[in-house]
Amino acid sequence: MSAEGELRAQMSALCASLFQRGFSVGTAGNVSARLPDGLLMTPTNSTLGAIDPERISKIAPDGILLSGDPPSKEIFLHRAFYDTRPEAGAVVHLHSTWATALACLRSTDPDNCVPPLTPYVVMRVGQVKLLPYVRPGDPRAGEMIRALGGACAAVLLANHGPVVSGRDLFSAVCAAEELEETARLLVALEGRDTRYLTGAQVAELNQTFGRI
């Protein structure tokens, strides 16, 4: 099997895993991965629970559909990360319950909406910005990601859900899962006297492990 064929199979399997474990429902969510000659993306109006590897959209660097079904209408979210983070090899956008709940809370800090609660969210996700609400499919969400200049590997779209990038598809999926679990903890701990990692502890993690 070619490298592209292996990536298609991996995308189908990981998307099914996300769906089966409740990270995505219905036709919500979309996933992409970078190729040397473009990118692969889950098709529009498809359920992550049943992605046919052969029908995954293949898109040229200029945005032209090369093969497969038409891509998700939210492709601009993904391209914004690829264009501003050269190290990004994949992007995962979900409507997962707890991250979306965090994106709905007025108390969420827009500049640091996922504070350093655990070492794993620091290592796998890093700083997360909350972007203002725009309707689903509005290209302005992509423009807001671009405006960050690659400073964040993940964002929360207000009242919508998370968009997470990673160095490869497996890493991006793991980061999206870590973000969801941390959001669940943050919502559970809201209003309580919570202990976060200190700046020195975060710096030690970044120096020792970097982004995993």
Side-chain angles (χ1 to χ4, degrees), residues 114-128 153-154 164-165 167 171-183 185 196-197 201-202 204-206 209-212:
V114 182
L117 186 63
T118 70
Y120 300 99
V121 76
V122 172
M123 293 186 289
R124 291 197 173 103
V125 183
Q127 183 184 11
V128 181
V164 184
S165 66
R167 67 175 181 270
S171 298
V173 168
C174 287
E177 293 179 5
E178 192 66 47
L179 176 56
E180 174 68 3
E181 177 63 15
T182 305
L185 292 172
Y196 298 105
L197 300 183
Q201 290 167 334
V202 170
E204 180 187 28
L205 287 169
N206 290 330
F209 299 104
R211 187 65 50 77
I212 61 175

Side-chain angles (χ1 to χ4, degrees), residues 47-107:
T47 173
L48 295 189
I51 297 294
D52 182 344
E54 298 302 318
R55 298 181 67 175
I56 291 172
S57 312
K58 182 175 182 179
I59 301 138
D62 60 4
I64 299 298
L65 178 65
L66 297 175
S67 64
D69 293 342
S72 167
K73 67 179 181 297
E74 294 185 312
I75 186 173
F76 53 83
L77 299 174
H78 300 247
R79 295 186 70 183
F81 271 113
Y82 293 130
D83 290 347
T84 57
R85 292 182 64 84
E87 70 276 26
V91 176
V92 176
H93 169 44
L94 301 173
H95 300 170
S96 50
T97 301
W98 295 103
T100 303
L102 195 63
C104 294
L105 287 174
R106 290 187 184 275
S107 58

